[in-house]
Amino acid sequence: MLPIINMRLAHPEVLIDISGLQVLTGIDVVGDTLGVLTTHRMLETTQLRAVCPLLTDLAPFIALLAVRFRGTRGGFLVHADPSAKWSMAVATLRTAIELASSAGVRRLSAEEFFLRMLVTALAPDEILWRVAFPVLAPEPVWR
Ligand SMILES: Cc1cc2nc3c(=O)[nH]c(=O)nc-3n(C[C@H](O)[C@H](O)[C@H](O)COP(=O)(O)OP(=O)(O)OC[C@H]3O[C@@H](n4cnc5c(N)ncnc54)[C@H](O)[C@@H]3O)c2cc1C
């Protein structure tokens, strides 16, 4: 978002900083979900490799290390850039995306979440909550 604001392509009246919300961070391998504030760098160096290695194998190819320390799964998904590596991974792995509001949590497939380039099904009163990843067989093949 900040590069878009820097280029004067967006003029938000209000900015809410969610980076301190611990509930949105972390990887729950038992519950097979990923906090949306989990950064690319966390994925690159996590125990997730044992159960869903495509996610960890992709991470080092994203941008440069400084961006990977700041960029999050949630920010990437809501930005919905079809050229980004995670778009391919989310669609390929049939990842489920959880959106939360005061009305509760709804779970969408990648096809339901990504409407078109840079546009998602996220409603104005919703936040991206968690991302559920599939736990794969011990030696999945994707070469
Ligand atoms: C120089 C550079 C190079 C890059 N190269 C690559 C690359 O090679 N490959 C690649 O895949 N990606 C690349 N990216 C994208 C990068 O990996 C980040 O994923 C992306 O910029 C999102 O950043 P962010 O997490 O800071 O999200 P932000 O910019 O903070 O957020 C993006 C949007 O999502 C919204 N948002 C964020 N979190 C939530 C939430 N939980 N709920 C609701 N809305 C939310 C924000 O309001 C904003 O509209 C690059 C980015 C930069 C700046």
Side-chain angles (χ1 to χ4, degrees), residues 12-122:
E13 289 178 13
V14 179
L15 270 182
I16 300 173
D17 182 5
I18 60 172
S19 61
L21 295 178
Q22 287 301 313
V23 69
L24 293 180
T25 311
I27 299 167
D28 175 9
V29 171
V30 176
D32 81 354
T33 61
L34 208 57
V36 292
L37 288 184
T38 304
T39 63
H40 305 311
R41 181 61 182 162
M42 287 179 199
L43 277 180
E44 204 175 336
T45 55
T46 176
Q47 78 278 18
L48 192 60
R49 172 171 299 283
V51 290
C52 198
L54 179 58
L55 292 180
T56 48
D57 282 359
L58 264 185
F61 294 100
I62 294 174
L64 52 152
L65 192 56
V67 171
R68 295 203 293 277
F69 267 108
R70 298 288 304 185
T72 64
R73 282 289 295 205
F76 150 79
L77 287 171
V78 175
H79 188 53
D81 179 347
S83 69
K85 281 105 183 160
W86 291 127
S87 305
M88 182 273 290
V90 164
T92 304
L93 293 171
R94 301 191 186 284
T95 306
I97 297 162
E98 291 183 356
L99 308 178
S101 70
S102 55
V105 175
R106 61 182 180 128
R107 196 175 245 228
L108 303 185
S109 66
E111 290 80 4
E112 293 166 326
F113 180 72
F114 294 120
L115 298 182
R116 57 183 185 276
M117 190 168 86
L118 307 182
V119 180
T120 71
L122 189 75

